[in-house]
Amino acid sequence: MTTPYPFTAVVGMDDLRLALLLNAVSPAVGGVLVRGEKGTAKSTAVRALSTLLPELSVVAGCRFSCDPAAPDPQCPDGPHGNEPAMHRPARMVELPVGASEDRLVGALDIERALAEGVKAFEPGLLADAHRGVLYVDEVNLLHDHLVDLLLDAAAMGSSYVEREGVSVRHAARFLLVGTMNPEEGELRPQLLDRFGLTVEVAASREPDQRVEVVRRRLAYDDDPDGFAGRWATEEQALRERIVAARALLPRVVLGEGVLRQIAATCAAFEVDGMRADIVMARTATALAAWAGRAEVVSGDVRQAALLALPHRRRRNPFDAPGLDEDMLDRVLDEFSDDTPEPPPEPDGTDPGGAGPDDPGRGPGDAPGPDDPGRGGGPGPDGGPRDEGAAPDTAGPEGPGGSSEQRGGVPRQAGAPQERQATGPGEPFRARVLTVPGLGEGAAGRRSRARTEHGRTTGSRRPEGALTKLHLAATVQAAAPHQRARGRSGRGLIVRRDDLRQASREGREGNLVLFVVDASGSMAARQRMGAVKGAVLSLLLDAYQRRDKVGLITFRGREAALALPPTSSVDAAAARLGSLPTGGRTPLAAGLLKAHDVLRVERLRDPSRRPLLVVVTDGRATAAGRGDAVGEAARAAALHAARGVASVVVDCESGPVRLGLAGSLAAALGGTAVTLDGLRADSIAGLVKDVRGGQGARGARPAATTVSTDEARRAA
């Protein structure tokens, strides 16, 4: 077994280490979610925590880690009587993103259950993690059905496995720790709220601290045992401090004054529900015990709020987690009881990992996100700044330099001047756009698909291990053979060949590729704000339906892949917000770029079906060889030949409409819909499922455009 990296040797990341240690002191805090860019040692720090946890006393031979002092009366290995106790280290159980349901919760032997009436149960990862740590790397990529199982176990402290009337229950109380890279997509709000604390981590921009990180990592890779031995004293001291804090925890007093501060803080920041209040109270108590105090003070409440509230402040997936510290201080001051407080206690580990008794943050720590020397801070549009980007300069023509040169590319003489980015309009609830037919892609909430979860539509012989039994079909298959098998009693004699797997139909997530017209005509009459609001609404819908999204823009004479297909819908929203407009309309270039992107994605993920959403007024005024309209039609025919499900969002406005978007939709073999028709609460929003998903040779009906006036007349 590989020697874990020492926890005290982790450089910097004070908030992360403190959050993990608080959960080690009080598992009731509820776990930690670690958000941060790739390569910041998130997983290293989490795995290092396992060596600091105190040993457990368990019933010998129990696969479910029952406590000898209070064994689970419903334990599948019980009832426990006078079995001897044994001591072992707390487990760190890792849940792979691609794990199956049976691997997570365990599996029943259905054949023995039906034929013999016994509960032959093989425990899963939830049983292994009981009284330990369940670690999920890339938790935001976890399949929805596994997320649901985690939510149930975390809420009830137990796991239920049921298969057609045969059920097993066992205790499953664990410390849930997850790590994620926000660039790869956000976490479902239900699971986000289950994490007690959240911390943001980023690589230090201080050269000295980065040098120390590299030096320690190389030393560990060369000799893991020797490196761990050099930190053994610090590790043992930290382990003893955790034990002492656990012993002090029941005696810590949470006074009425700080309890009012906690309630006032949660109310002021308008967090949903009461879980935040409870988590803050438990965190503040753990902070006091960690500092060796028997009473919670206002400083503990402040630190608890910074760890427990940021991820509960989000109102939609495009909001970045955060907390207004000035507002927090005002609320705490308003409800302070004016009692003197002791000076802040150290968190137990120094920024360089020198040991548990070294104080505070050192000069080598990474600056905060608003520090002037830190790269990667907010850019001019409020989003993340490119690491390699040069600082903005404001000249006579505004930000970004003169109108003759922006981004290092000279503007051609006589070309239309680029307009500044227009902010998106207010998002709305969008109608569901689906891909026709029956897919087999990743689990999601958009289009129909064959899945392991959903309504039962039939039965089939199992190709591998039986996971979902179709009981009626199994009985029908076994019934004709009972006399030949010598059945004499009431039981049914079932053989392996009789078992039938249930065929189920659910929903899949799709690849929604947006192709957005950013030409000068789209900026007319402030149209672009409404267009961005519509696309933002579709992005929000894609987030809720667990889709991958991509963004292509076209203007001037070319198209650009603004965002490669990703699960990070908020990244697409950020790119959309900063999208400038201006120039001609290279519609063919946008469609050809989409064709190339879909071709590559088809090779990467052949089971995920695409949905092409073209947002344009249908004009084509720029081409490689002079015939802009003809080139656009030929590019559209490529998608139609591939059977790509397509929707054209018609952005044309004004009293005179040319209907060009409808012609484009017909060439794509898809459907056209107006901006008003995208609204779920609009009469004009009767958008049918995208037609013609029968393959390249399938017949596809002509696209239609439903306007508000037409819908009103029809009504």
Side-chain angles (χ1 to χ4, degrees):
M1 181 177 178
T2 305
T3 303
Y5 192 91
F7 189 85
T8 50
V10 174
V11 179
M13 297 195 296
D14 291 350
D15 288 343
L16 170 58
R17 290 182 294 157
L18 178 60
L20 292 173
L21 290 170
L22 292 177
N23 276 274
V25 171
S26 175
V29 166
V32 186
L33 174 64
V34 188
R35 297 165 47 94
E37 59 196 24
K38 53 187 176 292
T40 49
K42 301 186 296 293
S43 300
T44 299
V46 173
R47 293 188 178 103
L49 176 69
S50 61
T51 62
L52 300 177
L53 299 178
E55 287 191 339
L56 296 178
S57 177
V58 299
V59 174
C62 178
R63 298 174 296 169
F64 302 88
S65 303
C66 279
D67 186 351
D72 182 6
Q74 294 181 290
C75 176
D77 285 353
H80 298 298
N82 299 320
E83 291 92 339
M86 60 174 290
H87 295 273
R88 63 162 176 80
R91 290 172 179 159
M92 169 78 73
V93 178
E94 295 194 31
L95 172 61
V97 170
S100 66
E101 177 181 343
D102 288 344
R103 183 71 187 98
L104 177 62
V105 301
L108 288 170
D109 189 330
I110 301 297
E111 187 174 357
R112 290 189 63 192
L114 288 176
E116 304 174 28
V118 298
K119 296 180 180 180
F121 180 68
E122 184 66 29
L125 295 177
L126 290 180
D128 292 342
H130 179 47
R131 303 177 66 197
V133 180
L134 181 63
Y135 171 46
V136 189
D137 193 13
E138 307 294 350
V139 64
N140 51 323
L141 303 182
L142 200 63
H143 287 176
D144 276 5
H145 68 283
L146 297 182
V147 170
D148 293 335
L149 293 171
L150 276 181
L151 290 175
D152 291 341
M156 298 184 295
S158 58
S159 174
Y160 289 85
V161 184
E162 300 196 17
R163 295 289 189 275
E164 278 70 28
V166 182
S167 63
V168 171
R169 174 231 170 253
H170 65 83
R173 292 182 296 275
F174 47 82
L175 170 60
L176 182 61
V177 180
T179 56
M180 60 174 284
N181 182 354
E183 294 178 356
E184 296 173 343
E186 283 295 343
L187 200 59
R188 278 176 56 182
Q190 295 93 329
L191 185 56
L192 190 65
D193 189 52
R194 292 293 180 183
F195 286 99
L197 311 179
T198 184
V199 292
E200 298 274 344
V201 297
S204 172
R205 299 304 187 259
E206 283 290 332
D208 291 342
Q209 195 172 37
R210 296 175 75 97
V211 166
E212 186 62 24
V213 170
V214 175
R215 181 183 293 119
R216 293 186 185 183
R217 185 68 206 193
L218 293 178
Y220 170 77
D221 291 340
D222 290 341
D223 182 10
D225 293 333
F227 183 82
R230 291 194 291 273
W231 293 90
T233 302
E234 287 82 358
E235 291 282 288
Q236 182 60 30
L238 195 57
R239 193 176 294 111
E240 292 173 358
R241 185 172 176 184
I242 292 173
V243 173
R246 281 191 172 190
L248 177 61
L249 186 66
R251 302 196 302 273
V252 175
V253 177
L254 185 69
E256 185 68 21
V258 293
L259 191 56
R260 288 183 60 83
Q261 283 186 320
I262 291 172
T265 300
C266 292
F269 284 100
E270 300 179 348
V271 296
D272 296 331
M274 295 296 298
R275 183 174 284 117
D277 304 62
I278 297 172
V279 170
M280 274 190 64
R282 290 171 174 167
T283 305
T285 304
L287 279 163
W290 179 247
R293 284 184 272 102
E295 184 177 2
V296 177
V297 296
S298 182
D300 298 327
V301 176
R302 187 182 193 280
Q303 182 65 61
L306 294 175
L307 293 172
L309 296 188
H311 61 301
R312 294 183 166 91
R313 285 275 297 151
R314 301 185 65 190
R315 289 295 177 262
N316 66 66
F318 308 137
D319 290 341
L323 207 65
D324 185 342
E325 295 193 33
D326 291 337
M327 178 179 175
L328 174 61
D329 291 334
R330 288 196 298 271
V331 173
L332 294 177
D333 289 343
E334 181 180 352
F335 287 87
S336 174
D337 56 5
D338 297 324
T339 56
E341 298 179 5
E345 295 288 341
D347 68 1
T349 53
D350 105 307
D357 297 324
D358 291 336
R361 178 184 294 273
D365 269 13
D370 298 324
D371 290 347
R374 183 185 185 276
D381 59 350
R385 183 188 300 277
D386 252 346
E387 289 299 324
D392 292 332
T393 57
E397 300 294 333
S402 70
S403 61
E404 294 299 325
Q405 182 169 333
R406 297 181 191 273
V409 180
R411 183 171 63 86
Q412 296 179 359
Q417 184 172 344
E418 177 183 297
R419 294 176 172 87
Q420 288 186 342
T422 303
E426 188 69 22
F428 50 82
R429 188 166 65 90
R431 282 202 169 267
V432 183
L433 305 176
T434 61
V435 178
L438 199 62
E440 297 181 347
R445 299 182 177 182
R446 183 171 297 277
S447 305
R448 294 172 54 218
R450 299 182 185 90
T451 62
E452 289 295 320
H453 305 270
R455 63 185 182 91
T456 301
T457 58
S459 65
R460 56 182 173 83
R461 289 181 181 273
E463 298 176 357
L466 181 69
T467 56
K468 298 290 183 181
L469 177 73
H470 195 295
L471 184 58
T474 299
V475 172
Q476 287 178 348
H481 308 290
Q482 297 305 297
R483 185 184 299 273
R485 294 173 182 173
R487 173 187 169 188
S488 58
R490 300 178 60 184
L492 187 68
I493 301 176
V494 180
R495 302 282 171 80
R496 173 69 185 174
D497 292 342
D498 301 330
L499 298 179
R500 294 295 183 268
Q501 176 84 20
S503 298
R504 297 175 181 256
E505 181 179 309
R507 293 281 170 175
E508 67 176 358
N510 297 112
L511 167 59
V512 183
L513 182 60
F514 293 93
V515 182
V516 180
D517 185 350
S519 63
S521 63
M522 295 292 290
R525 292 183 291 275
Q526 302 300 317
R527 188 188 305 167
M528 201 61 193
V531 169
K532 287 186 177 182
V535 177
L536 196 66
S537 304
L538 292 173
L539 284 172
L540 180 59
D541 181 69
Y543 165 80
Q544 295 169 340
R545 301 187 186 282
R546 315 306 291 171
D547 295 316
K548 289 180 69 175
V549 296
L551 178 63
I552 293 173
T553 63
F554 59 93
R555 65 188 184 92
R557 292 193 173 274
E558 61 183 15
L561 181 60
L563 183 71
T566 176
S567 298
S568 180
V569 176
D570 52 342
R575 301 291 173 89
L576 179 71
S578 59
L579 178 66
T581 58
R584 293 180 176 274
T585 311
L587 178 58
L591 295 175
L592 290 174
K593 174 66 74 173
H595 181 267
D596 292 341
V597 170
L598 293 180
R599 176 178 55 81
V600 173
E601 288 301 310
R602 196 175 293 114
L603 296 174
R604 291 177 176 170
D605 191 358
S607 63
R608 189 180 289 268
R609 297 186 294 164
L611 173 62
L612 182 66
V613 179
V614 184
V615 185
T616 181
D617 56 10
R619 289 180 172 83
T621 60
R625 298 184 178 178
D627 183 10
V629 176
E631 285 190 7
R634 288 190 290 273
L638 293 176
H639 292 283
R642 280 283 187 179
V644 177
S646 305
V647 174
V648 178
V649 180
D650 185 1
C651 302
E652 193 173 24
S653 60
V656 179
R657 300 196 178 197
L658 303 178
L660 298 177
S663 300
L664 174 62
L668 287 167
T671 302
V673 58
T674 61
L675 286 174
D676 285 342
L678 283 178
R679 295 179 178 271
D681 55 354
S682 171
I683 296 178
L686 304 177
V687 183
K688 303 295 185 182
D689 287 355
V690 184
R691 303 298 182 184
Q694 306 301 321
R697 293 185 297 274
R700 308 185 69 145
T704 58
T705 303
V706 184
S707 69
T708 307
D709 293 337
E710 290 169 342
R712 189 178 294 115
R713 287 196 298 270

